[in-house]
């Protein structure tokens, strides 16, 4: 079992920045690939960013490339999402997810943190 707890959401003006954190517990964090997803009102959950276990390889949705940065600190069992140049379209609940080694898809999810960007 893996427990994930997100934090860092809030209200910010367009053009501003936020940093989300996701603290993991229950399993060796350094073996997990981690990701961020988001879900806006009335829309399906969508992929935002992924970081592999080593931290050296990352992936991003086209909509956030150049603005968001995913990173991890394996010593703190935490993954981060630095969000810069925020736009109203980034308003959503952001979820952290964990992918177990050798498995497709994401096995564990956090409860989500709300990000609201005002214009």
């Amino acid at each position: 079992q893996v427990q994930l707890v997100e934090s860092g959401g809030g209200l910010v003006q367009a053009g501003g920045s936020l940093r989300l954190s996701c603290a993991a517990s229950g399993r060796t964090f350094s073996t997990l690939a981690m990701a961020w997803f988001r879900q806006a009102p009335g829309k399906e959950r969508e992929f935002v960013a992924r970081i592999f276990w080593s931290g050296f390889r990352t992936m991003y949705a086209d909509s956030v490339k150049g603005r968001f940065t995913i990173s991890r600190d394996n010593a703190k069992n935490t993954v981060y999402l630095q969000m810069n140049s925020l736009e109203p379209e980034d308003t959503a609940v952001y979820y952290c997810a964990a992918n177990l080694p050798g498995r497709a898809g994401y096995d564990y999810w956090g409860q989500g943190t709300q990000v609201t960007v005002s214009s």
Side-chain angles (χ1 to χ4, degrees):
Q1 289 287 334
V2 176
Q3 293 78 42
L4 302 173
V5 179
E6 300 99 333
S7 61
L11 174 64
V12 64
Q13 288 189 330
S17 299
L18 280 175
R19 188 177 82 155
L20 306 182
S21 299
C22 173
S25 61
R27 185 184 172 98
T28 304
F29 179 73
S30 61
T31 67
L32 303 173
M34 301 294 296
W36 288 94
F37 288 75
R38 66 186 182 186
Q39 186 167 19
K43 295 187 177 181
E44 293 189 354
R45 188 176 297 185
E46 65 174 359
F47 168 79
V48 175
R50 173 182 171 101
I51 188 165
F52 290 77
W53 66 271
S54 67
F56 291 113
R57 184 180 171 196
T58 57
M59 298 170 60
Y60 295 92
D62 288 343
S63 58
V64 307
K65 278 181 183 176
R67 300 188 298 121
F68 291 10
T69 302
I70 189 170
S71 62
R72 65 191 296 160
D73 185 337
N74 286 346
K76 295 182 178 180
N77 289 358
T78 302
V79 63
Y80 304 97
L81 186 68
Q82 177 67 44
M83 305 186 295
N84 298 329
S85 301
L86 283 161
E87 304 167 353
E89 294 73 23
D90 296 316
T91 294
V93 177
Y94 283 70
Y95 298 91
C96 174
N99 173 217
L100 295 176
R103 290 176 59 88
Y106 293 89
D107 304 278
Y108 299 97
W109 295 82
Q111 82 289 349
T113 185
Q114 177 70 47
V115 171
T116 303
V117 184
S118 63
S119 56

